[in-house]
Amino acid sequence: DADVTQTPRNRITKTGKRIMLECSQTKGHDRMYWYRQDPGLGLRLIYYSFDVKDINKGEISDGYSVSRQAQAKFSLSLESAIPNQTALYFCATSDSSGLGGYNEQFFGPGTRLTVL
Amino acid sequence: QQQVKQSPQSLIVQKGGISIINCAYENTAFDYFPWYQQFPGKGPALLIAIRPDVSEKKEGRFTISFNKSAKQFSLHIMDSQPGDSATYFCAASGKREYGNKLVFGAGTILRVKS
Protein backbone atom coordinates (compact mmCIF):
# COMPACT_ATOMS: atom_id res chain seq x y z
CA ASP A 1 0.00 0.00 0.00
CA ALA A 2 1.22 3.44 -0.88
CA ASP A 3 2.29 5.57 2.09
CA VAL A 4 1.83 8.86 0.22
CA THR A 5 -1.19 9.07 -2.04
CA GLN A 6 -2.25 11.81 -4.41
CA THR A 7 -5.61 12.41 -6.03
CA PRO A 8 -6.40 12.78 -8.82
CA ARG A 9 -3.58 11.14 -10.76
CA ASN A 10 -4.49 12.94 -13.95
CA ARG A 11 -6.59 16.03 -14.53
CA ILE A 12 -7.42 18.09 -17.56
CA THR A 13 -9.05 21.43 -16.94
CA LYS A 14 -9.69 24.75 -18.62
CA THR A 15 -8.19 28.16 -18.04
CA GLY A 16 -9.85 29.98 -15.17
CA LYS A 17 -11.12 26.90 -13.35
CA ARG A 18 -10.38 26.23 -9.68
CA ILE A 19 -8.52 23.00 -9.09
CA MET A 20 -7.63 21.16 -5.90
CA LEU A 21 -4.99 18.47 -5.66
CA GLU A 22 -5.02 16.33 -2.57
CA CYS A 23 -2.31 14.51 -0.69
CA SER A 24 -2.65 12.02 2.13
CA GLN A 25 0.02 10.13 4.03
CA THR A 26 0.06 7.24 6.46
CA LYS A 27 3.73 7.58 7.41
CA GLY A 28 3.01 9.70 10.49
CA HIS A 29 5.36 12.41 9.25
CA ASP A 30 4.94 15.99 10.40
CA ARG A 31 6.41 17.72 7.35
CA MET A 32 4.70 17.92 3.98
CA TYR A 33 5.66 19.57 0.71
CA TRP A 34 4.24 20.38 -2.71
CA TYR A 35 6.52 20.46 -5.76
CA ARG A 36 5.99 20.91 -9.46
CA GLN A 37 8.15 19.17 -12.03
CA ASP A 38 8.79 20.64 -15.47
CA PRO A 39 11.16 19.24 -18.10
CA GLY A 40 14.56 20.87 -17.81
CA LEU A 41 13.67 22.65 -14.57
CA GLY A 42 13.68 19.79 -12.10
CA LEU A 43 11.53 19.90 -8.99
CA ARG A 44 10.57 23.29 -7.62
CA LEU A 45 9.04 23.83 -4.19
CA ILE A 46 5.62 25.48 -4.17
CA TYR A 47 4.62 25.35 -0.48
CA TYR A 48 5.69 23.44 2.58
CA SER A 49 4.31 22.77 6.03
CA PHE A 50 6.37 21.68 9.02
CA ASP A 51 3.30 21.02 11.13
CA VAL A 52 -0.45 21.62 10.98
CA LYS A 53 -0.18 25.25 12.07
CA ASP A 54 2.90 26.06 10.01
CA ILE A 55 2.52 26.90 6.30
CA ASN A 56 5.28 28.50 4.26
CA LYS A 57 5.74 29.69 0.72
CA GLY A 58 8.31 27.99 -1.42
CA GLU A 59 10.18 29.10 -4.49
CA ILE A 60 7.14 29.43 -6.80
CA SER A 61 4.00 30.02 -4.72
CA ASP A 62 2.31 32.65 -6.91
CA GLY A 63 -1.01 31.37 -8.24
CA TYR A 64 -1.20 28.56 -5.67
CA SER A 65 -2.59 28.15 -2.17
CA VAL A 66 -2.51 25.26 0.30
CA SER A 67 -4.40 23.89 3.25
CA ARG A 68 -3.12 21.53 5.94
CA GLN A 69 -6.34 19.97 7.13
CA ALA A 70 -4.67 17.49 9.45
CA GLN A 71 -1.21 16.10 10.00
CA ALA A 72 -1.89 13.52 7.31
CA LYS A 73 -3.51 15.75 4.69
CA PHE A 74 -2.11 18.62 2.64
CA SER A 75 -3.99 19.99 -0.34
CA LEU A 76 -2.85 22.32 -3.12
CA SER A 77 -5.26 24.67 -4.88
CA LEU A 78 -5.01 26.58 -8.11
CA GLU A 79 -7.57 29.34 -7.69
CA SER A 80 -7.74 30.22 -11.38
CA ALA A 81 -5.73 27.79 -13.47
CA ILE A 82 -3.64 29.05 -16.38
CA PRO A 83 -1.88 27.05 -19.12
CA ASN A 84 1.62 27.59 -17.73
CA GLN A 85 0.55 25.68 -14.63
CA THR A 86 0.47 22.56 -16.78
CA ALA A 87 2.99 20.29 -15.04
CA LEU A 88 3.52 17.20 -12.95
CA TYR A 89 2.78 17.89 -9.28
CA PHE A 90 4.27 15.93 -6.41
CA CYS A 91 3.49 15.82 -2.74
CA ALA A 92 6.25 14.71 -0.36
CA THR A 93 6.59 14.06 3.35
CA SER A 94 9.45 13.88 5.82
CA ASP A 95 10.00 13.36 9.51
CA SER A 96 11.52 16.19 11.54
CA SER A 97 13.27 13.82 13.92
CA GLY A 98 16.58 12.27 13.15
CA LEU A 99 20.26 13.10 13.06
CA GLY A 100 21.00 16.65 11.97
CA GLY A 101 17.42 17.25 10.92
CA TYR A 102 18.06 15.97 7.42
CA ASN A 103 15.61 13.32 6.59
CA GLU A 104 14.56 11.53 3.48
CA GLN A 105 11.61 12.98 1.65
CA PHE A 106 9.05 10.43 0.50
CA PHE A 107 7.21 11.36 -2.66
CA GLY A 108 3.74 10.47 -3.84
CA PRO A 109 3.10 9.13 -7.35
CA GLY A 110 2.31 12.56 -8.77
CA THR A 111 -0.61 14.30 -10.45
CA ARG A 112 -0.36 15.19 -14.11
CA LEU A 113 -2.28 18.45 -14.59
CA THR A 114 -3.09 19.89 -17.99
CA VAL A 115 -4.62 23.36 -18.27
CA LEU A 116 -6.10 24.08 -21.67
CA GLN B 1 18.68 31.18 -11.36
CA GLN B 2 19.33 27.54 -10.62
CA GLN B 3 21.12 27.15 -7.30
CA VAL B 4 22.19 23.61 -8.13
CA LYS B 5 23.41 23.10 -11.68
CA GLN B 6 23.23 19.56 -13.02
CA SER B 7 24.75 18.06 -16.16
CA PRO B 8 24.28 16.43 -18.56
CA GLN B 9 20.56 16.77 -19.33
CA SER B 10 20.57 13.29 -20.81
CA LEU B 11 22.99 10.40 -20.96
CA ILE B 12 23.15 7.14 -22.89
CA VAL B 13 25.42 4.43 -21.55
CA GLN B 14 26.07 0.88 -22.65
CA LYS B 15 25.21 -1.93 -20.27
CA GLY B 16 28.17 -2.52 -17.99
CA GLY B 17 29.54 0.97 -18.46
CA ILE B 18 29.96 3.79 -15.94
CA SER B 19 27.35 6.54 -15.75
CA ILE B 20 28.55 9.87 -14.37
CA ILE B 21 26.28 12.79 -13.50
CA ASN B 22 27.69 16.04 -12.19
CA CYS B 23 26.31 18.81 -10.01
CA ALA B 24 27.70 22.15 -8.90
CA TYR B 25 26.53 24.64 -6.33
CA GLU B 26 27.48 28.14 -5.22
CA ASN B 27 26.00 28.54 -1.77
CA THR B 28 28.41 27.41 0.94
CA ALA B 29 25.48 27.17 3.36
CA PHE B 30 24.55 23.85 1.75
CA ASP B 31 25.64 20.92 3.91
CA TYR B 32 23.59 17.96 2.75
CA PHE B 33 23.63 16.54 -0.76
CA PRO B 34 21.20 13.76 -1.70
CA TRP B 35 20.53 12.10 -5.03
CA TYR B 36 17.02 11.06 -5.98
CA GLN B 37 16.04 8.50 -8.62
CA GLN B 38 12.77 8.69 -10.52
CA PHE B 39 11.29 5.98 -12.73
CA PRO B 40 8.63 6.86 -15.32
CA GLY B 41 5.22 7.32 -13.74
CA LYS B 42 6.65 7.34 -10.21
CA GLY B 43 7.69 9.91 -7.68
CA PRO B 44 11.39 10.46 -6.93
CA ALA B 45 12.98 8.28 -4.27
CA LEU B 46 16.15 8.80 -2.29
CA LEU B 47 19.07 6.89 -3.76
CA ILE B 48 22.10 8.01 -1.75
CA ALA B 49 23.18 11.09 0.20
CA ILE B 50 26.40 12.64 1.50
CA ARG B 51 27.46 15.22 4.07
CA PRO B 52 30.51 17.43 3.29
CA ASP B 53 32.65 15.93 6.05
CA VAL B 54 33.48 13.02 3.71
CA SER B 55 34.72 13.03 0.12
CA GLU B 56 33.06 9.83 -1.03
CA LYS B 57 30.16 7.59 -0.15
CA LYS B 58 29.49 4.24 -1.75
CA GLU B 59 26.37 2.10 -1.66
CA GLY B 60 26.56 -0.91 -3.90
CA ARG B 61 27.11 0.23 -7.49
CA PHE B 62 26.32 3.86 -6.61
CA THR B 63 29.00 6.30 -5.41
CA ILE B 64 28.84 9.99 -4.59
CA SER B 65 32.09 11.90 -4.96
CA PHE B 66 32.21 15.26 -3.21
CA ASN B 67 34.69 18.08 -3.77
CA LYS B 68 34.07 20.78 -1.17
CA SER B 69 36.66 23.24 -2.47
CA ALA B 70 35.27 23.07 -5.99
CA LYS B 71 31.67 23.01 -4.73
CA GLN B 72 30.93 20.04 -6.92
CA PHE B 73 29.54 16.57 -6.38
CA SER B 74 28.86 13.71 -8.72
CA LEU B 75 27.04 10.40 -8.93
CA HIS B 76 28.84 7.43 -10.41
CA ILE B 77 26.90 4.32 -11.37
CA MET B 78 29.25 1.40 -11.90
CA ASP B 79 28.31 -1.57 -14.11
CA SER B 80 25.24 0.31 -15.33
CA GLN B 81 22.20 -1.87 -16.01
CA PRO B 82 19.06 -1.31 -18.09
CA GLY B 83 17.12 -1.23 -14.83
CA ASP B 84 19.07 1.90 -13.87
CA SER B 85 17.36 3.80 -16.72
CA ALA B 86 15.61 6.65 -14.92
CA THR B 87 15.79 10.35 -14.22
CA TYR B 88 18.32 11.33 -11.58
CA PHE B 89 18.13 14.52 -9.54
CA CYS B 90 20.86 15.95 -7.37
CA ALA B 91 19.78 18.19 -4.54
CA ALA B 92 21.20 20.30 -1.75
CA SER B 93 20.04 21.58 1.59
CA GLY B 94 21.31 23.77 4.38
CA LYS B 95 19.93 23.93 7.88
CA ARG B 96 20.69 27.58 8.52
CA GLU B 97 19.42 29.21 5.33
CA TYR B 98 17.08 26.58 4.03
CA GLY B 99 15.53 25.03 7.11
CA ASN B 100 16.34 21.61 5.71
CA LYS B 101 14.36 22.22 2.53
CA LEU B 102 15.78 20.69 -0.64
CA VAL B 103 16.91 22.59 -3.73
CA PHE B 104 16.93 20.30 -6.75
CA GLY B 105 18.99 20.25 -9.93
CA ALA B 106 17.27 20.10 -13.31
CA GLY B 107 17.60 16.33 -13.64
CA THR B 108 19.44 13.89 -15.92
CA ILE B 109 17.62 11.33 -18.01
CA LEU B 110 19.75 8.18 -18.07
CA ARG B 111 19.24 5.44 -20.60
CA VAL B 112 21.26 2.27 -20.32
CA LYS B 113 21.35 0.31 -23.57
CA SER B 114 21.43 -3.47 -23.37
Side-chain angles (χ1 to χ4, degrees):
Chain A
D1 288 341
D3 295 321
V4 184
T5 57
Q6 292 184 234
T7 56
R9 294 295 313 280
N10 288 282
R11 182 71 184 268
I12 299 173
T13 191
K14 294 183 179 180
T15 297
K17 294 292 187 181
R18 185 178 187 275
I19 294 296
M20 179 181 286
L21 309 183
E22 299 188 346
C23 177
S24 294
Q25 53 114 347
T26 58
K27 300 187 78 66
H29 289 169
D30 50 348
R31 297 180 172 183
M32 299 186 74
Y33 312 79
W34 275 105
Y35 293 90
R36 66 177 278 176
Q37 182 178 357
D38 299 277
L41 295 177
L43 292 151
R44 293 181 292 166
L45 184 63
I46 305 172
Y47 270 94
Y48 62 102
S49 170
F50 281 179
D51 66 43
V52 175
K53 296 181 181 179
D54 177 71
I55 304 280
N56 302 281
K57 293 181 178 181
E59 180 186 354
I60 52 163
S61 59
D62 287 350
Y64 301 95
S65 62
V66 291
S67 174
R68 185 86 183 262
Q69 301 94 324
Q71 187 184 36
K73 296 184 182 294
F74 193 36
S75 59
L76 175 72
S77 294
L78 288 68
E79 296 302 324
S80 180
I82 56 176
N84 77 0
Q85 291 178 314
T86 292
L88 194 51
Y89 289 84
F90 286 101
C91 172
T93 73
S94 70
D95 187 348
S96 62
S97 65
L99 183 64
Y102 294 111
N103 288 300
E104 177 178 359
Q105 288 191 17
F106 293 85
F107 286 77
T111 294
R112 185 169 295 281
L113 176 66
T114 302
V115 184
L116 301 176
Chain B
Q1 182 181 357
Q2 199 115 32
Q3 296 192 61
V4 179
K5 295 183 178 180
Q6 183 171 347
S7 63
Q9 284 189 324
S10 63
L11 181 61
I12 300 175
V13 174
Q14 288 293 130
K15 179 181 176 181
I18 302 173
S19 304
I20 302 174
I21 304 171
N22 300 299
C23 284
Y25 64 97
E26 287 297 323
N27 195 330
T28 55
F30 288 141
D31 59 3
Y32 173 68
F33 303 90
W35 285 88
Y36 279 75
Q37 180 188 52
Q38 182 185 29
F39 292 107
K42 304 290 186 182
L46 179 66
L47 180 64
I48 187 172
I50 196 169
R51 298 290 297 272
D53 52 345
V54 297
S55 60
E56 185 176 283
K57 183 173 182 180
K58 183 176 181 180
E59 291 184 3
R61 296 183 295 107
F62 300 90
T63 300
I64 300 179
S65 296
F66 185 80
N67 185 331
K68 189 174 182 178
S69 61
K71 291 186 284 187
Q72 295 175 348
F73 59 109
S74 59
L75 177 70
H76 292 65
I77 306 174
M78 310 300 288
D79 187 25
S80 299
Q81 299 296 312
D84 296 329
S85 296
T87 300
Y88 292 82
F89 295 99
C90 62
S93 185
K95 194 180 303 184
R96 181 165 50 89
E97 287 191 27
Y98 296 89
N100 299 351
K101 301 188 301 297
L102 290 174
V103 178
F104 284 89
T108 296
I109 301 172
L110 171 65
R111 179 183 163 208
V112 181
K113 295 175 67 175
S114 57

